[in-house]
Amino acid sequence: MKLPSPNPPHPRGKPLTDSLHYSSSAIAHDNDFREVQDWAVAPSSSPKPNEVLEGLKEHVRWLMNGRKPAAIFKRYRETTKSRSDKRVERQRDDYIQKHFRSICLSEEYKDKLKGRVVCVFDDYLTNGHTFEALRNLLVSCKVKKIILVSIGKFERGNEFSYIQRHHSIKGDLYSGAYEATFLKCEERPFETNDAARRSMADLKELASHLR
């Protein structure tokens, strides 16, 4: 029998930041995450994985006894960063296609996600296009529930809603040889947690005294 190591894993050569430690601790003590069975990271704009987010995912997976360390999503073709694209482009319904044309699922999860609860980590939520692509891919796998954890969000004026972009996907999700057809948009209201924002500020102040 292989027992877990006495300490959770960290990214290679790069410890988790104070804020990510705080996030992993908060998740481990939140009942909403106790049902999560698989943990994933939203791919960056390049095929190179985000080491810090991978470290957070592995840290939390270890704490929550997650089953597989392998990545669920793979960016097989580089694309532009969303925040560098023009606003008029990001507002188009087909803008999400750039993610469908460059992201696929790992073969290790083929036919193994149905009925599962999946948590996806992302660093910053801009317009939600990346997550919507990932959500649609997971919905196509018939997962039971999807939870998104975003470390931060770019505020845009008086923004109080999240736009879900529903697609129908046909083809091989594991090779990228699939087509995603836009169906409709659905507006979902959300609220920001100011208490969490203050907690992060307090944590950063505390960390500054410990250095």
Side-chain angles (χ1 to χ4, degrees):
M1 180 182 293
K2 186 176 180 180
L3 298 176
S5 58
N7 295 305
H10 292 275
R12 295 178 183 175
K14 186 183 292 184
L16 292 174
T17 63
D18 295 329
S19 60
L20 296 187
H21 271 305
Y22 176 81
S23 300
S24 61
S25 177
I27 289 169
H29 292 85
D30 192 319
N31 288 331
D32 289 338
F33 294 93
R34 296 192 184 279
E35 62 180 327
V36 175
Q37 297 164 292
D38 296 292
W39 304 84
V41 169
S44 61
S45 57
S46 73
K48 184 179 179 180
N50 184 318
E51 292 185 7
V52 175
L53 276 184
E54 286 290 341
L56 170 63
K57 185 263 288 183
E58 281 300 283
H59 190 83
V60 173
R61 185 186 68 82
W62 184 91
L63 290 173
M64 306 296 284
N65 299 311
R67 126 182 128 164
K68 278 191 174 185
I72 293 180
F73 305 105
K74 180 173 66 175
R75 178 84 70 179
Y76 61 88
R77 180 184 297 127
E78 187 166 0
T79 188
T80 57
K81 292 183 180 295
S82 295
R83 62 177 178 270
S84 64
D85 292 335
K86 295 181 179 179
R87 183 178 180 182
V88 65
E89 294 177 3
R90 296 197 302 264
Q91 292 178 329
R92 292 171 52 178
D93 289 334
D94 63 350
Y95 177 76
I96 194 175
Q97 290 294 333
K98 76 170 195 173
H99 297 301
F100 287 130
R101 289 192 292 264
S102 59
I103 295 176
C104 65
L105 297 176
S106 169
E107 284 279 353
E108 293 191 42
Y109 289 89
K110 192 169 186 177
D111 301 323
K112 294 179 180 178
L113 290 172
K114 184 178 180 180
R116 307 281 289 182
V117 178
V118 182
C119 179
V120 181
F121 290 105
D122 200 357
D123 49 5
Y124 272 91
L125 187 68
T126 307
N127 295 98
H129 293 287
T130 304
F131 176 64
E132 278 303 292
L134 305 182
R135 185 184 66 80
N136 278 278
L137 288 171
L138 291 174
V139 167
S140 295
C141 294
K142 296 180 170 58
V143 300
K144 178 182 177 181
K145 184 176 180 180
I146 306 166
I147 298 175
L148 168 68
V149 176
S150 176
I151 306 304
K153 186 185 187 312
F154 291 108
E155 293 186 355
R156 296 182 179 278
N158 296 321
E159 182 182 41
F160 298 103
S161 63
Y162 175 87
I163 305 299
Q164 283 189 325
R165 296 169 174 84
H166 302 288
H167 288 72
S168 172
I169 300 179
K170 295 182 179 180
D172 185 3
L173 306 180
Y174 304 91
S175 68
Y178 63 83
E179 290 187 4
T181 303
F182 175 73
L183 299 176
K184 65 177 182 177
C185 284
E186 195 169 0
E187 192 170 328
R188 299 287 189 181
F190 73 85
E191 296 179 1
T192 56
N193 188 335
D194 291 330
R197 184 180 302 176
R198 288 194 298 270
S199 295
M200 289 298 291
D202 293 341
L203 180 73
K204 289 178 180 178
E205 182 180 356
L206 174 61
S208 68
H209 295 297
L210 297 177
R211 290 191 179 96

